Amino acid sequence: TSQVIFQRFYCKRSFVDFKVDFAAMAAVWLASKLEESPRALRWIIQVFYRIERRRKGLALIPLAYSDPIFSNWRTNVTVTERYMLREFGFSIRVEHP
């Protein structure tokens, strides 16, 4: 579901307009809501933070909620999710084979 949302969003919008990482996080968050198994945004951010640190070869430490990176990512993901919803006309329907 998340992948479908992500692809549909970038069919209508440019990669230049929205950072891919935030769009991916927003797609996962939105998909969790659509599948009726919502996950807290803080856990999604933690997973993506861990992925980023692993790619860079850094130590895998959890992101503190008081960290400015956390608040920045939370704000950007929320804004990107709103843009996604607006782009889809607040109506998202995903059919799986």
Side-chain angles (χ1 to χ4, degrees):
T1 305
S2 176
Q3 182 180 359
V4 172
I5 293 169
F6 183 80
Q7 289 176 344
R8 284 183 188 172
F9 181 66
Y10 276 118
C11 281
K12 297 182 177 197
R13 291 296 206 153
S14 170
F15 282 106
V16 178
D17 296 337
F18 296 94
K19 191 172 178 188
V20 175
D21 296 339
F22 296 137
M25 285 186 252
V28 169
W29 193 30
L30 191 54
S32 75
K33 294 176 186 178
L34 289 173
E35 294 293 329
E36 295 183 4
S37 59
R39 301 289 183 242
L41 180 57
R42 65 179 175 270
W43 297 120
I44 294 170
I45 290 173
Q46 288 288 352
V47 169
F48 275 85
Y49 182 73
R50 186 178 172 106
I51 291 169
E52 180 181 307
R53 289 191 64 87
R54 181 168 282 182
R55 282 184 185 157
K56 292 179 180 178
L58 302 172
L60 301 177
I61 57 171
L63 180 62
Y65 301 132
S66 59
D67 195 321
I69 293 173
F70 181 82
S71 61
N72 180 26
W73 282 21
R74 184 183 63 217
T75 303
N76 285 323
V77 171
T78 306
V79 168
T80 305
E81 184 201 27
R82 288 183 190 150
Y83 275 111
M84 283 182 168
L85 287 170
R86 197 175 303 146
E87 194 65 41
F88 299 139
F90 294 93
S91 176
I92 302 173
R93 190 176 178 134
V94 178
E95 299 278 332
H96 294 292

